[in-house]
Amino acid sequence: QDLHIAWIHLAPGGVIGRHEASSEQLLLITSGEAEVSGDDGQRKRLSPGQAALFSLGELHETRSAQGMDAVVIEGDGLAAALR
């Protein structure tokens, strides 16, 4: 199983627009604050140390009013590996 790990930065007011997850994705906030939404469209605020897990095919969006840094881990079977 392949895992991909990336670091992302959003400047204040930044948005990663709504898109489909090509694999299971974990978004872990390392600094700043993010607001994420998944398939249900409900927004959830995340602070450093908090994470969101998106399922394969799930439509999701990330935005940040104040800016943020995060680690993104992607891969099939990720949710099972985290249990």
Side-chain angles (χ1 to χ4, degrees):
Q1 136 183 343
D2 290 333
L3 288 179
H4 301 275
I5 301 171
W7 172 81
I8 62 170
H9 171 79
L10 279 182
V15 176
I16 299 172
R18 202 154 194 75
H19 64 283
E20 188 175 301
S22 58
S23 63
E24 293 177 329
Q25 297 180 0
L26 179 74
L27 173 74
L28 174 62
I29 307 304
T30 58
S31 68
E33 195 170 82
E35 192 173 81
V36 299
S37 63
D39 271 340
D40 62 5
Q42 295 294 314
R43 292 184 179 175
K44 180 178 179 185
R45 187 163 301 207
L46 300 176
S47 299
Q50 294 182 311
L53 181 63
F54 301 109
S55 301
L56 172 66
E58 183 173 4
L59 291 174
H60 61 285
E61 178 179 77
T62 302
R63 46 180 72 237
S64 181
Q66 72 179 45
M68 61 146 234
D69 293 303
V71 173
V72 177
I73 303 171
E74 300 177 319
D76 297 331
L78 182 60
L82 294 171
R83 289 186 192 128

